[in-house]
Every structure is written in C-alpha cells, then in structure tokens.
Amino acid sequence: MSLKIAILTDLHFSNIPVEDNPQRKGELADVLLLRAVHRLNRWIKPDVTFIGGDLINEPNSPDAEDLFFFLKSSLDLLDSKTIIIPGNHDTPPEIFYKTFERPEDIVEVKGVRFLPFIDPEEPGYNARREQHNLDRMRAARAGFAGQIVSLQHVPLFPPEADCSPFNYINAPEIVKVMDECGITLSLSGHFHEGFAPLKWNESTYFTAPALCEAPFRFCVVELDDDGSVKVETHQLSLPSDSHLTDFHIHTRLAYCNENMKMPKALQLGQIFGLAAMGFAEHSSHLYFSRDAYNAKKFYWDGINSPMIGDNTEDYFSLYKMYANEFSYIGLEIDVDRSGIPVINPELYERLDFRIGAVHYMKSILDAAKRENEFMYLCNAMIRSGIDILAHPFRIFRRNNLAVPHHLFAPLAALLKENNVAAEINFHTNEPPLEFVRLCLETGVKLAFGSDAHNLYEVGEFYPHLKLLEAAGFNGSCDDILLKPSRRQPTKTDH
Ligand SMILES: [Fe+2]
Ligand SMILES: [Fe+2]
Ligand SMILES: [Fe+2]
C-alpha cells in the first residue's frame, strides 16, 4: 500500500502585488490555493496534505492575521488530514497557530509518522535544527518500525549534494540522524524553484516548488511500503503550448455566481495560460428575476413570458467595460418547453458565440418521456444555430439518473450534421467518456468550458485534459477543439 502526500508550499499571500519580487503572485495566492484545494479534493485525493510555510509574504504587516483567515477558510475545505507549519515569511508560531491548528509532535497517518519542525532561521535564509528536535527524530523511531517523514520549511540536504542555495547550517548532523533513524523522506519548501527528489543513503530529500510562482506548482508524493518515493508535480497553469479557450465563464450577473469579477477573471485566464476566454452568461438570468427563474418561467413561458424583464444590456455593458483582444462574448442560452431559445434573436449579431443548454425538463422524472423530451429540446437547440451544446447529458446525472447510452450516437450525429461542438464541462458533472470517444471518432468538435462560477475555476482544465487522455486522444488539441471567432461587425456598432 502507498501513502499519498500532497505538498503545497510558499503561497506568499499579500493584499498588494509583491513589488520587489513581481514573479511572486502573492496577490493571487487565495485563488491559487482554492484551485489547488479543489483539485486535490476532487481528483487527487491525498491521504495527507502538508502546507510547507510562507503562507503570507510580509509577516510584519498589520494585515497578516487577516490574510491567514482567508487562507484558513480554503484550507479548512481540504478533505485530507492537513499539517501546516510556518515559514520565515510567516508570523512567529505563537501568533501563526492562533489561526491554524498546531500539529502534534508526531502526526500519524495510515501508519506513517510525520514530524513537523519549526526550526530557527539562520543568516542567508538558512536554518538550524535544535538539539531537542534532533532528539524528537530519535524519539519517533524508538520502538517504531514504520516509516517516518521529516517536514520543514527550509530545504534539508546533505551539503555535498549541492541541491539548493539554502540548507541547514547543521545539515551533516541532521542527515546523520536521518540515516541512523532510517527516516524515509524529508519534505521542504522555501527554495521557490524546488529541487528534484534526491536519494541519499536510504532517505529521499525533496523540495517542492512555490505555489505562488508560475506555473503555480504543487506536488504529490507517493510513499510506498518499501520506502520508494515517486513525486508527481502538478501545475495550476495550463500546459505552455496548449492554446486552449475557455468558452464558458460566468459573470456577477449569474444568480449562481460566487465571486466572479470580470477583470479578475481576465487576469487569471491570462496568468493560467488560456489562449482566449469566452464569457457566457445564462440568458434566463438576464431575462428573469431570481424568483421567476427559480419558478422555471424561462421553460414554461419562454421569451414571451409576461414576467420577462430584459437585463441583457447590463451584460453587454459589463463586457464592453473590460473586453480585450483576448476575450469573446457569448451567452448560455436556455430553451423553453417548445424548444424555442430563451433570447431575443436580435441579440445574435452582437454575440461572438452561442452556447445552448438544457437545464430543465418537465418530464425528467418520467421514464417513459424524458429521453424523447431531451432529444426534442437538443434537436431544437442545435438547429437554432448554436455553436456549442453545453454539458451534454448533465441533466440526467444531476437528477441521479443513469445516462442513456443509446442516445450518444443520435446526439453525436445531430451535432456533426449541424457543425455544433459538444462541450466538455465538469461543473457538477462527469462527462461520459464513451460519448467523448464517439465525438472524437465521428469528428464532432469539442469545446472546453470551465463553467466558472468562482474565480478559481477559470481555465481549470485539468480534468478535461485527463478525459481526452482517457479517451485515447494523444494528438493536438487544436485539431479537435472549437476555435473562437469574432462576430462580423455591423453598421449598428459604435
Ligand atoms: Fe518562500
Ligand atoms: Fe521561506
Ligand atoms: Fe453555465
């Protein structure tokens, strides 16, 4: 059996950009952390997560504890056991642990002992392990045959290995204890570039890169029963040559949005390496009040509902305020029960792209009728001239129903015939692998959508890329994904 340890370190969170060190994106650390936390919880599922220090950038600034509070609210979401230690940029432990939970001297997870150390700093950003902590390493081994992991902020290395500009001034002494006690693994942060795992005698020494510097990395260490160590590095940015477009980003105008700020979303999209960003607000949120929307008036009455209130101009002016060469405007258009899109068709010419979505069906609980209604609405939607069909089949999953596999082929054929892309969207969804495979085989275009309702989700295509891999695709995404294009300007533009 192996133990999965996530290590996330050096966030350098700050309310203002880190001027003397601009590659440190400390002002984004809250978003970076939340993105990492959600990826860990949903996809990686570590047994334990080690937060290796430097949570904030400026320990003496008056907002230090306030910043800790925001990080803690994200760290509290972690499903795994969490071990948090301060670094040299954090406040002293007695203040730091007013916010975070102080770990025990020995934290045992699935039979592995973790030893968190807060070692005093030495000049040159080095550190020193004190005698009582060397004793703690020995005490952890006494009468214990299992594996032990040393956790600290500053890189620990045998000095002759020359791995890092920073080390412990008494590293030889610590390494000797590592050897004597058979301590399997040492995990550190602090050196922002990080350093590959070094096997030295029977121990592995590893330094993880900083989360706050592009491409925003964290690591997952698999520790096997036999002491072997495998490290996988994850990055929050997209692969550098991926040229991906996120076609499905919501704005503050969605009732279900959590913190969407358009300029911040644009900034994040660029920082995470998106090639383009498409905003796609719910048409039914723009045409109906929250109550009318919740009463599904968009579906029952459609665009001619007596309850209609048109806020689409708010959306266009919001977009216009922040639009840049990198952004595109679309809408996520609902469909009413007759299959008519919930949008005034005059708006079409102002949109760069249109996404069609089936969010509600009256027959969803009626086994005899729901599949017919689904195909009827999809057919109407697809033939209305949309570019992308949002989250195909999600409506079944959301209602805890089995996805009807026999509809994959007819839906794919319909998409193909009308040159409409199928969206890959993981927002409260698991796109069916078999359907994605079929789209790839039959040449149906795909479109990636984060369906971001929270800033951390913008351009989060980790599962999308994994899904393509699982579908057996190993070519260039450029060949299979929809590319964004601008609407043709008209005379009415000004
Ligand atoms: Fe740091
Ligand atoms: Fe540090
Ligand atoms: Fe959406």
Side-chain angles (χ1 to χ4, degrees):
M1 218 182 67
S2 70
L3 189 79
K4 215 187 240 193
I5 309 159
I7 166 165
L8 229 129
T9 185
D10 294 82
L11 288 79
H12 290 266
F13 189 27
S14 165
N15 274 319
I16 48 170
V18 183
E19 267 177 10
D20 55 342
N21 219 329
Q23 78 272 24
R24 255 180 220 174
K25 301 292 177 206
E27 73 279 19
L28 303 177
D30 50 347
V31 178
L32 298 171
L33 177 63
L34 197 57
R35 190 172 177 103
V37 163
H38 282 279
R39 198 186 285 182
L40 286 168
N41 281 348
R42 185 162 176 195
W43 305 110
I44 300 172
K45 303 180 193 299
D47 297 296
V48 54
T49 303
F50 168 47
I51 309 295
D54 284 359
L55 278 76
I56 59 169
N57 193 56
E58 187 38 77
N60 299 319
S61 80
D63 56 7
E65 286 184 77
D66 192 45
L67 293 168
F68 285 148
F69 171 86
F70 286 103
L71 297 179
K72 179 177 161 47
S73 62
S74 292
L75 290 169
D76 283 348
L77 299 175
L78 277 167
D79 293 333
S80 72
K81 170 99 192 142
T82 310
I83 302 171
I84 307 172
I85 62 167
N88 55 308
H89 280 262
D90 294 313
T91 54
E94 55 282 10
I95 298 174
F96 184 84
Y97 285 125
K98 281 201 312 196
T99 305
F100 302 104
E101 192 185 333
R102 189 189 278 267
E104 298 290 320
D105 282 354
I106 299 176
V107 181
E108 207 158 311
V109 183
K110 285 185 162 176
V112 173
R113 286 188 164 180
F114 289 84
L115 311 180
F117 292 106
I118 305 164
D119 301 301
E121 195 181 356
E122 291 290 330
Y125 305 106
N126 294 304
R128 171 175 48 90
R129 184 149 299 167
E130 297 164 302
Q131 187 58 50
H132 69 99
N133 277 329
L134 292 167
D135 294 343
R136 177 145 63 98
M137 293 167 81
R138 292 198 176 92
R141 173 49 77 212
F144 177 70
Q147 307 207 49
I148 304 176
V149 181
S150 173
L151 305 174
Q152 57 280 314
H153 179 61
V154 170
L156 166 65
F157 282 106
E160 46 284 50
D162 199 18
C163 293
S164 145
F166 316 111
N167 200 348
Y168 279 71
I169 59 167
N170 60 338
E173 192 182 9
I174 310 172
V175 169
K176 198 162 154 258
V177 181
M178 293 280 292
D179 290 343
E180 268 170 35
C181 299
I183 293 182
T184 315
L185 179 63
S186 155
L187 295 179
S188 306
H190 185 62
F191 177 37
H192 286 197
E193 287 170 36
F195 200 90
L198 171 81
K199 184 88 197 262
W200 190 269
N201 298 332
E202 293 309 307
S203 310
T204 301
Y205 297 82
F206 178 59
T207 297
L211 187 74
C212 68
E213 291 186 21
F216 313 115
R217 290 168 291 176
F218 65 92
C219 297
V220 177
V221 180
E222 288 219 33
L223 176 58
D224 243 320
D225 279 345
D226 63 2
S228 62
V229 171
K230 209 171 78 213
V231 176
E232 191 183 354
T233 300
H234 291 257
Q235 62 179 52
L236 299 181
S237 286
L238 294 160
S240 54
D241 51 352
S242 54
H243 311 295
L244 299 172
T245 298
D246 188 343
F247 277 102
H248 197 150
I249 299 167
H250 285 281
T251 71
R252 65 171 169 77
L253 296 169
Y255 297 132
C256 41
N257 108 85
E258 290 165 8
N259 61 2
M260 294 306 291
K261 296 185 190 83
M262 200 178 271
K264 188 93 187 259
L266 283 163
Q267 183 197 7
L268 287 165
Q270 273 168 304
I271 279 175
F272 288 135
L274 281 171
M277 294 175 70
F279 291 92
E281 199 44 272
H282 291 287
S283 70
S284 51
H285 291 212
L286 300 175
Y287 280 116
F288 291 90
S289 69
R290 187 187 289 264
D291 286 349
Y293 172 78
N294 288 339
K296 311 286 187 261
K297 290 290 178 196
F298 65 91
Y299 174 83
W300 295 109
D301 301 352
I303 190 71
N304 295 316
S305 170
M307 313 217 21
I308 211 111
D310 188 349
N311 291 320
T312 51
E313 283 312 317
D314 290 354
Y315 178 55
F316 285 105
S317 29
L318 177 68
Y319 178 74
K320 203 170 164 194
M321 210 179 323
Y322 300 110
N324 59 26
E325 69 288 350
F326 171 75
S327 64
Y328 292 78
I329 185 163
L331 274 172
E332 180 178 14
I333 304 168
D334 279 291
V335 65
D336 74 11
R337 62 185 162 142
S338 319
I340 298 171
V342 181
I343 181 175
N344 177 345
E346 283 173 14
L347 297 186
Y348 287 168
E349 64 171 31
R350 296 169 66 186
L351 299 172
D352 293 320
F353 67 97
R354 282 184 268 159
I355 303 182
V358 178
H359 286 125
Y360 183 74
M361 303 192 309
K362 62 178 180 291
S363 68
I364 192 68
L365 298 176
D366 184 341
K369 292 188 179 153
R370 62 178 163 243
E371 291 181 7
N372 279 346
E373 187 182 6
F374 176 75
M375 287 308 285
Y376 174 79
L377 296 180
C378 285
N379 187 41
M381 195 54 138
I382 289 168
R383 292 184 192 283
S384 77
I386 55 168
D387 304 287
I388 301 168
L389 182 66
H391 41 67
F393 300 106
R394 185 178 81 176
I395 192 161
F396 294 95
R397 190 180 177 274
R398 272 215 175 166
N399 286 278
N400 296 319
L401 297 165
V403 174
H405 289 229
H406 59 279
L407 297 184
F408 289 174
L411 189 67
L414 204 54
L415 291 165
K416 173 81 181 159
E417 183 195 330
N418 291 279
N419 197 24
V420 172
E423 187 189 44
I424 299 188
N425 176 328
F426 282 86
H427 193 254
T428 64
N429 189 34
E430 301 277 341
L433 176 63
E434 195 190 320
F435 179 65
V436 172
R437 229 180 243 146
L438 186 64
C439 289
L440 288 167
E441 278 163 20
T442 56
V444 173
K445 281 259 182 248
L446 298 171
F448 280 4
S450 65
D451 213 344
H453 289 73
N454 187 307
L455 289 166
Y456 82 82
E457 296 171 303
V458 171
E460 171 57 326
F461 292 152
Y462 172 80
H464 301 62
L465 293 167
K466 284 267 181 217
L467 183 71
L468 288 186
E469 216 179 283
F473 181 75
N474 54 15
S476 159
C477 283
D478 281 344
D479 299 338
I480 56 158
L481 295 182
L482 182 72
K483 287 177 197 52
S485 60
R486 302 266 171 220
R487 74 197 161 92
Q488 295 307 311
T490 64
K491 292 195 287 294
T492 52
D493 278 354
H494 47 266

